[in-house]
Amino acid sequence: MRHINEIEVYGKSLLIRADFNVPLDSNLNITDDTRIRSVLPTINYALDEQAKVVLCSHMGRPKGQRVPSLSLAPVAKRLSRLLRKDVRLAPDSTGQEVERMVQNLDQGEVLLLENLRFNPGETKNDEEMGRRLAALADVYINDAFAVAHRAHASVVAVARYVPEKAAGFLMINEFSYFHKALEEPARPLVAVIGGAKITSKLGALENLLQRVDKMIIGGAMANTFLKSLGHEIGQSLYEPAMVGVAGCLLELAKELGVKMFIPCDCVVAERPEPQAATKVVTGTEVPPEWYIMDIGPATSLLYAEALANAKTIVWNGPMGAFEMDAFSRGTYAMVRHVAESYALTIVGGGDTDVAVHKAGESAKVSYISTGGGAFIALLEGRDLPAVCALEDRFEDIDKEGPPSRCQPEK
């Protein structure tokens, strides 16, 4: 995979695939422009090289329809402010008017295409849409790690038809930190995996067990592990079909000599609501009608001790329902443990990212990934379609990963 600074871009037309899928309030104002700012190094490099810059991105899920509230107009406005130059918004992502606007671009000017997903061909990886996007530029740059796991027209099809292609600086950083964390890590390497479902992270859990020295489990998925050990978990969320899988993962960890940590106590509530009565119980004393909502203080202490000697930490997924204040202590305690560690710390996933920022500890984390699904795909050891496309390995895009050893019950 070539990098943007390894190819000649001076004076050329560049099509840069970015991820500007930013949150908007009810007045369509951007509430967090982190994803926009993360692509600025690539954009500014292109502008310094007197390139003609054409930016493209999706916003939300309009399902091939033109949805005014999902227009990239707010992004164009914010980019104009950040770049201190006018960023025009094209009326569409392809078509004659778009081609005319691109042809009229001068060196050092920027044009933003309208939401790619207004075109139904984007999510279908339509070849014709890929050709039309490719025709807009001399060089294609992918700097959208958050959609690197999607086989979409602006990620894969376009790469078949451009004369030159490379990765932008954000994409380069993502893979650089992933390499440091999982390919050549300083040890001990500890993975912290939370969130709701084992199902969505089974591949990542199995792959990580082959690589890490310790694994810490939190979130609702921990309930399934507790259930596999025969513990009663009341009315708590868990995956009945994955109980056997959880037991298999515990056995696999034992075989591989990986220390696996699951909660020893938890915060339970009468109802999964912010105002419900709560108490702390051990993992074997959950009342029949109550719900596990967070890890408990003893578990937080246990996890802190597990992280104490870590040299590399990879974290994906919260420890509990942290969006409700009563059940946020476990997740925020984990944020502090990770932030205060002397290890290389890499955090990925939208919810985890939100927790770190809300806790005000983002500056103390080595790297916060911009991708959720793409980050999980890397943890699974999968080839990302974006990388395959940049390396002309199109035949590998649909290749299945290794078979799972721990199969869910049918």
Side-chain angles (χ1 to χ4, degrees):
M1 183 172 70
R2 291 195 297 172
H3 300 171
I4 185 173
N5 56 342
E6 295 175 339
I7 62 175
E8 180 58 58
V9 300
Y10 186 86
K12 294 184 177 181
S13 296
L14 267 63
L15 176 67
I16 300 176
R17 182 30 163 129
D19 177 27
F20 297 145
N21 187 27
V22 292
L24 304 173
D25 63 19
S26 58
N27 295 316
L28 303 184
N29 295 310
I30 296 171
T31 58
D32 183 353
D33 65 359
T34 301
R35 288 189 169 185
I36 298 175
R37 291 176 181 272
S38 66
V39 188
L40 291 181
T42 295
I43 298 172
N44 282 321
Y45 178 85
L47 293 175
D48 288 346
E49 293 292 309
Q50 294 298 302
K52 302 174 183 181
V53 177
V54 181
L55 300 169
C56 62
S57 174
H58 73 284
M59 171 83 82
R61 296 182 178 180
K63 298 181 180 179
Q65 303 296 315
R66 184 171 288 273
V67 180
S69 62
L70 293 178
S71 169
L72 289 177
V75 174
K77 182 178 179 181
R78 181 61 57 89
L79 274 169
S80 296
R81 186 184 309 165
L82 293 171
L83 294 172
R84 297 182 180 179
K85 63 167 56 199
D86 183 43
V87 176
R88 286 176 291 167
L89 179 68
D92 207 337
S93 55
T94 59
Q96 292 183 348
E97 178 61 18
V98 174
E99 292 167 6
R100 185 191 65 78
M101 293 180 75
V102 172
Q103 288 170 359
N104 290 335
L105 271 184
D106 288 329
Q107 291 180 329
E109 290 189 334
V110 183
L111 176 70
L112 174 63
L113 305 185
E114 184 54 285
N115 192 338
L116 290 162
R117 291 186 184 174
F118 285 176
N119 188 325
E122 165 65 358
T123 56
K124 295 176 182 177
N125 194 25
D126 180 68
E127 292 292 312
E128 181 57 29
M129 183 175 179
R131 284 193 190 92
R132 290 190 173 189
L133 288 172
L136 300 177
D138 306 310
V139 180
Y140 168 71
I141 302 295
N142 193 329
D143 211 25
F145 177 75
V147 292
H149 62 307
R150 304 286 190 192
H152 288 176
S154 65
V155 176
V156 174
V158 64
R160 293 182 184 273
Y161 304 106
V162 287
E164 285 193 284
K165 54 200 171 190
F169 292 119
L170 172 61
M171 187 81 83
I172 295 166
N173 278 340
E174 294 277 0
F175 282 94
S176 174
Y177 275 97
F178 174 79
H179 184 81
K180 291 176 185 177
L182 293 181
E183 301 297 335
E184 296 180 358
R187 294 187 180 275
L189 165 59
V190 183
V192 182
I193 306 296
K197 296 181 177 181
I198 294 176
T199 305
S200 60
K201 298 180 181 179
L202 177 57
L205 289 166
E206 285 200 56
N207 184 52
L208 286 169
L209 282 174
Q210 309 287 334
R211 299 170 180 262
V212 304
D213 301 293
K214 302 177 188 178
M215 182 177 287
I216 292 172
I217 301 294
M221 74 162 61
N223 302 339
T224 305
F225 280 92
L226 290 171
K227 194 73 174 176
S228 75
L229 294 173
H231 300 327
E232 292 303 320
I233 58 172
Q235 300 301 307
S236 309
L237 177 67
Y238 82 106
E239 296 175 278
M242 302 299 285
V243 171
V245 169
C248 175
L249 291 169
L250 290 170
E251 285 298 318
L252 181 58
K254 190 181 299 183
E255 287 179 25
L256 295 170
V258 175
K259 296 179 181 178
M260 201 161 185
F261 297 83
I262 61 175
C264 59
D265 70 336
C266 45
V267 177
V268 296
E270 279 190 305
R271 302 179 309 281
E273 299 171 3
Q275 306 304 321
T278 65
K279 60 183 177 181
V280 176
V281 299
T282 69
T284 60
E285 297 178 324
V286 179
E289 301 301 320
W290 288 53
Y291 299 78
I292 299 174
M293 300 298 292
D294 194 11
I295 60 173
T299 300
S300 289
L301 181 60
L302 172 67
Y303 289 0
E305 292 174 349
L307 292 172
N309 69 337
K311 294 294 188 295
T312 308
I313 300 170
V314 178
W315 179 19
N316 174 268
M319 297 292 99
F322 79 100
E323 63 277 7
M324 292 182 267
D325 183 67
F327 315 120
S328 65
R329 304 299 185 270
T331 296
Y332 289 139
M334 181 58 74
V335 172
R336 289 193 301 275
H337 302 329
V338 171
E340 292 169 2
S341 170
Y342 290 101
L344 174 73
T345 52
I346 300 173
V347 170
D351 288 341
T352 324
D353 181 354
V354 169
V356 171
H357 280 92
K358 278 190 174 182
E361 300 283 12
S362 57
K364 295 181 181 179
V365 173
S366 303
Y367 192 74
I368 299 177
S369 176
T370 58
F375 187 78
I376 291 294
L378 280 184
L379 295 184
E380 292 175 352
R382 284 166 44 197
D383 279 329
L384 300 187
V387 176
C388 292
L390 288 176
E391 296 178 346
D392 286 325
R393 293 188 295 112
F394 295 99
E395 70 281 359
D396 291 336
I397 288 175
D398 296 320
K399 186 181 293 184
E400 294 185 5
S404 172
R405 172 171 167 175
C406 301
Q407 293 288 344
E409 299 173 17
K410 295 183 179 179

